[in-house]
Amino acid sequence: MAVLVTGGAGYIGSHTAVALHDAGHEVVIVDNFANSSPRAVDAVRALTGGALSFVEADLLDEAAVRGIFEQHEISEVVHFAAHKAVAESVQEPSRYYRNNLGSLLGVLEAMLEHGVDKLVHSSSCTVYGQPAVLPVAESAPVGAASPYGWTKLMCEQIITDVCAVRPLAAVMLRYFNPVGAHPSATLGEDPNDIPNNLVPLVMQVAGGRRERLAVFGDDYDTADGSGVRDYVHVVDLAEAHVAALEVLAAGHDGAAAVNVGTGSGSSVLEVIEAARRATGRPIPYEIVGRRPGDIAKTWAATDLAREFLGWQAKLDIDDMMRDHWRWHSQNPDGYGR
Ligand code: UD1
């Protein structure tokens, strides 16, 4: 019996595939390389001693999805495959809705047809917007500020509704800000074009590819005025999926949303400082205006992750910067697509 990892060539999916293998699971990856590289699959293969099945398919292709469930003995699904660029989702909403909702629906229907009743789903802390109370708990009000955010919320709703009436149990992991890379430096984040996220940009500055970082605002209501986020090491995050599958295997029923963060926030200026320590390089920056749509601060309440999943983050911001830098400095062009 195998775990199907959709989007398993992506940043979080590839690390999770390795963690699942290390925990004794057989893994089948499906990916269409819409925003990932075949070399990530090679890297996962190398780290798992070749023990990996891979299918290249688009989850919107119903026949292909059915084929995966017919050809492999799938017992659980970890669903990552989705578009994830906030600004792009504003420009191309229908493409985002079609892809993110359609992929989930295709996988869910194939699961139900084949009696597969355990799902771990990728969600995001974006569903909280700017929380009124910090740390933000899973019971906080949810909403969305972009089509991307809406797809995350709608997917949670779809899963919750299906779990209510069909034999399906699900854990929906609300990721905070994943950074870092596998300690082997063979797996990491490979943003295409110009990255939007802070840490890949910081690493490009450290590596000399970019002259300076633009810090989006120093007048937020935070200790140093820059935005605060809960950065979580991708290796810790991958482990949360293993823990979620264990909870499902133990017979948990229904659909549960669980935060995956460290529980403490770092400001943009603190991230820059940590990157300086990890890289030994200067990180020149300039303060510019706020980025439209950004929130001031968020970090996770971690009680549910600890109590329900038995999971908590082990790695801190220095580990994250060290591993992200090791990956970036050894693979400045990512997987070299
Ligand atoms: C962004 C997405 C969010 C997504 C998350 C995934 C937006 C508005 N939000 O969140 O939906 O789930 O990525 O990780 O795109 N910063 C700078 N300079 C930069 C880049 C970022 O100062 O060049 C700051 C931001 O203002 C923010 C922090 O760094 O305070 C983190 O930014 P980023 O990595 O883009 O993540 P989020 O904004 O939290």
Side-chain angles (χ1 to χ4, degrees):
M1 299 303 275
V3 181
L4 178 65
V5 180
T6 75
Y11 175 42
I12 307 172
S14 57
H15 287 82
T16 301
V18 172
L20 288 168
H21 169 268
D22 291 350
H25 292 279
E26 224 173 275
V27 174
V28 178
I29 286 180
V30 55
D31 207 298
N32 65 353
F33 301 127
N35 186 26
S36 59
S37 163
R39 289 186 51 202
V41 178
D42 297 340
V44 173
R45 270 219 175 90
L47 287 168
T48 56
L52 179 82
S53 302
F54 173 73
V55 182
E56 182 170 351
D58 189 320
L59 298 179
L60 295 180
D61 179 344
E62 285 176 31
V65 174
R66 226 174 277 124
I68 299 170
F69 283 81
E70 277 156 18
Q71 279 149 32
H72 299 270
E73 285 203 56
I74 306 295
S75 51
E76 293 125 320
V77 175
V78 183
H79 180 56
F80 294 100
H83 294 331
K84 61 171 186 181
V86 176
E88 190 180 64
S89 79
V90 174
Q91 296 308 316
E92 302 174 67
S94 66
R95 187 164 77 85
Y96 267 65
Y97 287 115
R98 178 187 293 274
N99 184 69
N100 291 8
L101 302 184
S103 297
L104 172 68
L105 289 167
V107 168
L108 270 181
E109 281 157 14
M111 288 177 71
L112 295 173
E113 258 173 50
H114 290 84
V116 179
D117 60 2
K118 298 179 191 70
L119 172 69
V120 178
H121 177 73
S122 275
S123 194
S124 166
C125 70
T126 196
V127 301
Y128 299 121
Q130 173 59 66
V133 178
L134 289 169
V136 59
E138 290 81 354
S139 54
V142 292
S146 69
Y148 161 75
W150 280 115
T151 68
K152 287 292 158 191
L153 261 187
M154 289 175 180
C155 285
E156 287 197 2
Q157 189 64 47
I158 291 167
I159 292 166
T160 304
D161 291 347
V162 173
C163 284
V165 293
R166 298 294 299 269
L168 177 74
V171 177
M172 306 177 291
L173 298 176
R174 292 178 174 164
Y175 311 145
F176 281 67
N177 290 53
V179 300
H182 194 270
S184 66
T186 61
L187 280 186
E189 187 169 16
D190 183 18
N192 57 8
D193 307 328
I194 301 163
N196 297 307
N197 291 118
L198 176 64
V199 173
L201 287 165
V202 166
M203 294 299 155
Q204 289 192 350
V205 175
R209 176 164 291 200
R210 197 172 282 278
E211 236 175 77
R212 64 174 67 83
L213 181 82
V215 174
F216 296 146
D218 68 348
D219 56 354
Y220 284 109
D221 175 24
T222 60
D224 64 25
S226 66
V228 171
R229 299 291 186 273
D230 186 340
Y231 297 93
V232 53
H233 198 299
V234 68
V235 167
D236 274 335
L237 181 52
E239 291 296 337
H241 298 78
V242 177
L245 283 182
E246 277 166 18
V247 166
L248 292 174
H252 171 76
D253 231 8
V258 186
N259 288 342
V260 186
T262 64
S264 76
S266 303
S267 72
V268 175
L269 298 180
E270 286 169 340
V271 169
I272 292 172
E273 209 35 59
R276 272 202 188 115
R277 287 195 296 272
T279 64
R281 307 279 181 95
I283 318 274
Y285 66 85
E286 63 180 329
I287 311 284
V288 302
R290 293 181 178 191
R291 180 170 65 179
D294 267 359
I295 60 165
K297 52 187 170 182
T298 190
W299 56 91
T302 55
D303 316 65
L304 191 62
R306 214 169 28 251
E307 288 156 18
F308 177 63
L309 297 183
W311 174 92
Q312 61 185 352
K314 298 190 187 90
L315 301 165
D316 65 16
I317 193 80
D318 289 316
D319 300 315
M320 298 177 212
M321 294 302 130
R322 178 199 62 221
D323 291 341
H324 210 120
W325 173 242
R326 191 186 290 135
W327 155 256
H328 180 82
S329 53
Q330 292 181 28
N331 308 271
D333 295 313
Y335 293 110
R337 251 171 308 147

